[in-house]
Every structure is written in structure tokens, then in C-alpha cells.
């Protein structure tokens, strides 16, 4: 299992609805609207890195109101 944090920038005023929409997607563990340089922080998981990438591109980035994403895979050093 691969997990990642997805940092999301949204259009002005869209953070709450983006977080609510993403929270319902399969593979999403948690989605929160936050303050700072990013508007939404998501923790997601998938079976493989490829599956995670497909989820981000095919599901997360398709949510209306998102302007940019940054995916940060979790590593255990």
C-alpha cells in the first residue's frame, strides 16, 4: 500500500467544496481545507505508485475548482 499527501490550490472561495468532494473519492483517507500556501490537504492511498498517480490525474485533478496539485508520497526511512 502506498500513501501520499496531496497539496491542492483552489480557486478563491472553493476550498471547502473541493475538500468535501475529494473526501468522497475512493482511496481518500482524509481531506481538509487549511490555511497557508495550499487550500486543501488530502491523505490518500492506493495499491501501487502507478495506481496512486492514476487516481490523482483521473479523479482528484478533475474536481471543479482545483488550480494546482502537488503529490508527496509518504516514505518510511
Amino acid at each position: 500500500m502506498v500513501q501520499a499527501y496531496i497539496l491542492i490550490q483552489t480557486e478563491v472561495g472553493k476550498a471547502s467544496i473541493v475538500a468535501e468532494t475529494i473526501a468522497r473519492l475512493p482511496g481518500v483517507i482524509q481531506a481538509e481545507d487549511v490555511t497557508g500556501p495550499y487550500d486543501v490537504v488530502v491523505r490518500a492511498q492506493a495499491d501501487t505508485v502507478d495506481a496512486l498517480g492514476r487516481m490523482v490525474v483521473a479523479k482528484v485533478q478533475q474536481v471543479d475548482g482545483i488550480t494546482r496539485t502537488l503529490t508527496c508520497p509518504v516514505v518510511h526511512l
Side-chain angles (χ1 to χ4, degrees), residues 3-46:
Q3 293 190 355
Y5 289 96
I6 306 166
L7 310 177
I8 300 172
Q9 292 178 336
T10 68
E11 296 172 2
V12 174
K14 298 274 182 122
S16 181
I17 191 69
V18 167
E20 290 172 13
T21 303
I22 290 175
R24 295 190 297 265
L25 295 176
V28 171
I29 299 168
Q30 189 172 15
E32 300 283 347
D33 43 325
V34 298
T35 61
Y38 293 95
D39 304 305
V40 177
V41 176
V42 175
R43 181 146 185 166
Q45 67 182 11

Side-chain angles (χ1 to χ4, degrees), residues 11-12 16 20 23 28 30-31 34-35 43 49-50 57 61-62 66-67 69 72 75:
E11 296 172 2
V12 174
S16 181
E20 290 172 13
V28 171
Q30 189 172 15
V34 298
T35 61
R43 181 146 185 166
V49 172
D50 289 340
V57 172
Q61 290 181 349
Q62 299 306 311
I66 292 177
T67 58
T69 65
C72 304
V75 297

